[in-house]
Amino acid sequence: MSAEAADREAATSSRPCTPPQTSWFEFVLEEALLEQHLQKPSPDPPPVQLIVQFLEQASKPSVNEQNQVQPPPDNKRNRILKLLALKVAAHLKWDLDVLEKSLSVPVLNMLLNELLCISKVPPGTKHVDVDLSSLPPTTAMAILLYNRWAIRTIVQSSFPVKQVKPGPPQLNVMNQIQQEKELTENILKVLKEQAADSILVLEGALKLNKDLYVHTIRTLDLLAMEPGMVNGETESSTAGLKISAEEIQCQVCYDLGAIYFQQGSTNVAVHEKAKEMFFKTKELIAKNGSSSLHFTIDEERLAGYCQACEVLTSSSDDASQQATPYSQIHSCMKSGNYQDIVKIFLEDNLTLSLPEQFRQSVLRELFQKAQQGNDALDEVCFKVCVCNTVCDVLQGRTIDIQFCQLFLKPSKEKIDFLLEVCSGSINLENASEALKRKMAAFLKNLCLGMEDLQFVFMISSHELFIKLLKDDERKLLIDQMRKRSPRINLCTKPVTSFYDIPASASVNIGQLEHQLILSVDPWRIRQILIELHGMTSERQFWTISNKWEVPNVYGNVILGIKDSLTRDLVYILMAKGLHCCAIKDFIHAKQLFAACLELVTEFSPKLRQVMLNEMLLLDIYTHEAGAGASGERPPSDLISRVRGYLEMRVPDIPLRQVIAEECVAFLLNWCENEYLTMQVPLPLVQTNPYVKLGQLLAATCKELPGPKESRRTAKDLWEVVVQICSVSNQHKRGNDGRVSLIKHRESTLGIMYRSELLSFIKKLREPLVLTTILSLFVKLHNVREDIVNDIAAEHISIWPSSIPNLQSVDFEAVAVTVKELVSYALTINANNHFWLIIQADIYFATNQYSAALHYYLQAGAVCSDFFNKMVPPDVYTDQVIKRMIKCCSLLNCHTQVAILCQFLREVDYKTAFKALQEQNSHDAMDSYYEYIWDVTILEYLTYLHHKRGETDKRQIAIKAIGQTELNASNPEEVLQLAAQRRKKKFLQAMAKLYF
């Protein structure tokens, strides 16, 4: 049965039947309706409320002899009442605007279902499956009306509704309101489920190129009085009120545009379809005129929709993109082209098309961006504020406080721009006298508010000021300014300013040191240092900021430079460059390093090599933060320089360990495994621990697909990591003579400390390398732990299964490292299902069962398109399913346990039955029965509920077991499909619960 048919049944409506001879009651009702309202030329108010009265009377339930409430009877009286309701709507020409304003959703739903019923819509079929062109005109129009209303109701429900202030509480009224609210929500739920079908129906209506007809009072009378006419005149092409094809298209385009626009919030491409529909509506209205439409369209709302679509959609056609100031400003804000916004506002000061609220909102957004650290926007904010202020002046509004604040410290540039805006905002030849007076008053008050006579003279001598103020007014203004406070009188000898007093040498040095601290321009730093050294030769200026830090290996060389100016310059350039590098300001870092390199090349080959090494590290950082982040391979030149650094054999060059670390991580991230495995010089491997670790990792990754006997490098890597994670034990005799064991967490037995290893791993991004090192630590974690808390990982079988001296390994540190590594790995790729399983196993091992379930479900979701495909068996292994079962059991979700028992290769009936016997379950219990496909479990549920006397739950279980697709006689493919469908729905329900 279709949803529409279900609605009609819910409204207890039926086909209109031909009543027998009109009784007195029917005669009175019909005559009262026709004479008092419908026969008037334009009844005021419209008789819409009669529809409510008639339908309420027709839908009143009846009470039988046993005082039981029965559905409304399908009798003569109720059929007449429904027919009268339809006649009222026909009198209003089925205008949805009028009907929607006066009728609630349940009443209008009942009315339109009656229209569908009387229009002979084929019962039991969906509207989307019906060919509108093959139906009678009145039937097709009834379907269109219903689906238009459905779409309009969905759109209207998305708008915020102002809450009506409730009056004194009355229990019966409140109950009635609550019932109507629940009924409305149920209808909306059905309409939203059918939304896709309704859209298809309306899209199909756009292909109809013929006129349609809607029922009138006359056609409804014919249907009621003569059954033979149902297939006669009432279904012919001339019966009813004619609605032209263009009028139908206009209405349908508007309604489709509204629903597309609403859906565009989640799918931007749909905005293009909405734009097409709205502009087509606009064309049809322009062509036919809005007065010719039987149904009205809110043209102001249509214009708003069109404007919004122009802003939200981008077009390759520049002319259409720049159609309105709104779209231009939207485009400028997105692209950061703020200067064009000033031009648009300046041009709009003549046309005044932008609303004040919009102008203020743009200014607020610019101020917010400026406050977030974009200093370049300060000037733009001032200019936009000036444009807004002049616009306010011309429209007679008060001047905003922001303008007054920005003009507290006027400057020549600010005055020039203000006068430019004033001149461009008024056309003196065509402007009214009122506009001229407003502009003149603004400029005059501006002069009176200024203290600097130079700025006053700039305004008063401007051409616009001279044209707007008469000679007498200008003389009066000058007199007023002369009479103001003495501090701005036109005196011959100005008062000496505080800033004109010559500064002492110590003040100048302090100012220069302040500039030196703030500057990142190499040329300016050099100039400041030359000036400082010219003032005093006693200071060491590289010490003035404690933020200037240079590694000790470099500091000793730099501080050995004899010339104090050169020493200060080299130290400060390197310190500032390293600081910029740390805060990812790579552009300034490169400028500072380049200047430092040029300087040291003249006198120190050692420092020259140091700077080349630092510039290599800077280039690695720059690539990894830029093109490398999007997957673009580094240039071959950079790879060659990295290799060259690792192979460098220049003696006595101070080296930073971090550069070697970054170089090895760089090669691993870009899969340079061949070089690390075969071409790295042996002395480098023996002397540099990071190179050795990188070589072992590269070789292990390279051999992963190979046979087990070729994995010697995996064993070597295992031994290296075990040594790093081992603790050195020392014995100490206490005061009481006993010997105690002291464990040192950071062992010196390995090639590096565990913290250094962890720091190095967190520089890796290549998934295979991360998976390899992660599986190694997981295996190391599992060596001591019992099988219950075992953690699964990919490629875990390549590692040794035992350690000769278990006591030497710091397993607490290993557990912490595993947690840190998997957390880091998930920041690199949050959708790697193997890493998600590891995270879930960690939570399971630490008794955090809800979090464990979250990650088990997430692992399945990411590799199955949110369970729309089958989860691969290597992800949801029996071990994972059993752990999910245990999590659910310990969370007291026993019905979930029973369902998960079906996921195992062999169904665990014992655990399932034991779980179902539990009565203290925290899950949805019987609402999960629809997800059970194992007939044995369903039969046990039926028996269990029968035994407990739980009739309702037993019926739910019987209903589940009675589904034909679970019949044991079905082919295996059908049974598997039924199981897969229930798995999908159950896992999706679980995901919504735990995500």
Side-chain angles (χ1 to χ4, degrees), residues 318-542:
D318 291 336
S320 65
Q321 178 68 16
Q322 304 300 328
T324 66
Y326 295 100
S327 58
Q328 291 177 332
I329 292 169
H330 181 75
S331 176
C332 291
M333 292 292 279
K334 282 180 70 177
S335 62
N337 188 8
Y338 301 113
Q339 293 300 330
D340 282 356
I341 295 176
V342 178
K343 293 179 184 177
I344 296 166
F345 273 52
L346 187 55
E347 291 169 2
D348 188 72
N349 276 10
L350 277 173
T351 58
L352 301 176
S353 61
L354 294 174
E356 177 197 5
Q357 294 83 357
F358 179 76
R359 282 172 164 267
Q360 291 298 332
S361 69
V362 173
L363 181 59
R364 277 195 300 272
E365 188 170 346
L366 289 171
F367 269 125
Q368 287 173 0
K369 289 179 182 288
Q371 289 169 359
Q372 290 168 2
N374 193 343
D375 296 335
L377 281 180
D378 290 340
E379 183 185 354
V380 176
C381 290
F382 167 74
K383 289 183 175 181
V384 171
C385 184
V386 168
C387 292
N388 284 355
T389 301
V390 174
C391 179
D392 290 340
V393 167
L394 294 175
Q395 293 188 306
R397 293 191 290 265
T398 55
I399 295 176
D400 195 78
I401 189 67
Q402 287 173 331
F403 175 79
C404 301
Q405 290 173 339
L406 291 171
F407 246 83
L408 284 175
K409 294 182 180 179
S411 64
K412 181 180 180 300
E413 291 76 15
K414 288 183 177 181
I415 300 294
D416 282 338
F417 182 75
L418 174 64
L419 292 171
E420 179 190 344
V421 173
C422 291
S423 302
S425 301
I426 186 168
N427 187 344
L428 291 176
E429 294 179 2
N430 302 326
S432 64
E433 287 300 321
L435 275 182
K436 291 179 182 178
R437 283 196 300 273
K438 289 174 185 175
M439 183 65 78
F442 170 65
L443 294 175
K444 182 178 173 182
N445 291 330
L446 202 61
C447 289
L448 290 170
M450 287 190 179
E451 297 182 356
D452 193 326
L453 292 178
Q454 180 187 355
F455 296 145
V456 174
F457 178 75
M458 284 178 64
I459 298 173
S460 61
S461 61
H462 194 270
E463 182 184 1
L464 177 66
F465 188 88
I466 294 170
K467 288 182 178 179
L468 287 174
L469 271 76
K470 298 175 183 177
D471 292 341
D472 296 340
E473 291 175 320
R474 290 201 301 275
K475 288 179 183 178
L476 182 62
L477 174 63
I478 293 171
D479 290 340
Q480 285 177 330
M481 296 192 66
R482 287 181 184 277
K483 292 175 184 177
R484 288 197 306 178
S485 64
R487 60 195 173 92
I488 60 164
N489 279 347
L490 299 174
C491 55
T492 56
K493 187 177 180 181
V495 177
T496 304
S497 168
F498 168 77
Y499 294 102
D500 294 334
I501 301 172
S504 64
S506 61
V507 172
N508 286 336
I509 290 174
Q511 290 174 345
L512 287 172
E513 286 180 346
H514 182 67
Q515 292 177 28
L516 183 63
I517 291 171
L518 295 179
S519 179
V520 288
D521 179 12
W523 182 86
R524 180 61 184 148
I525 292 169
R526 180 175 174 274
Q527 290 297 110
I528 293 170
L529 281 172
I530 291 171
E531 289 184 45
L532 287 170
H533 277 271
M535 292 178 181
T536 176
S537 58
E538 300 174 357
R539 297 280 300 277
Q540 292 181 331
F541 293 105
W542 62 270

Side-chain angles (χ1 to χ4, degrees), residues 160-233:
V161 179
K162 185 178 180 181
Q163 297 295 328
V164 180
K165 188 176 180 181
Q170 298 179 17
L171 187 59
N172 57 341
V173 175
M174 290 174 67
N175 288 339
Q176 187 177 353
I177 292 172
Q178 182 62 27
Q179 288 175 5
E180 184 172 324
K181 183 180 177 183
E182 290 176 0
L183 186 56
T184 302
E185 288 175 356
N186 291 335
I187 293 171
L188 274 173
K189 183 181 178 182
V190 174
L191 293 179
K192 286 175 182 177
E193 290 172 356
Q194 298 173 354
D197 288 350
S198 294
I199 291 171
L200 289 174
V201 171
L202 296 186
E203 286 174 347
L206 292 178
K207 300 174 185 176
L208 286 176
N209 290 320
K210 65 176 185 177
D211 301 338
L212 295 181
Y213 293 81
V214 69
H215 280 299
T216 60
I217 296 174
R218 177 173 175 273
T219 58
L220 291 170
D221 280 334
L222 290 173
L223 285 171
M225 290 189 296
E226 298 182 33
M229 296 300 292
V230 170
N231 296 317
E233 184 183 353

Side-chain angles (χ1 to χ4, degrees), residues 530-559:
I530 291 171
E531 289 184 45
L532 287 170
H533 277 271
M535 292 178 181
T536 176
S537 58
E538 300 174 357
R539 297 280 300 277
Q540 292 181 331
F541 293 105
W542 62 270
T543 62
I544 63 174
S545 174
N546 59 4
K547 299 291 184 183
W548 294 343
E549 296 179 356
V550 168
N552 291 332
V553 289
Y554 297 162
N556 297 331
V557 180
I558 295 172
L559 296 180

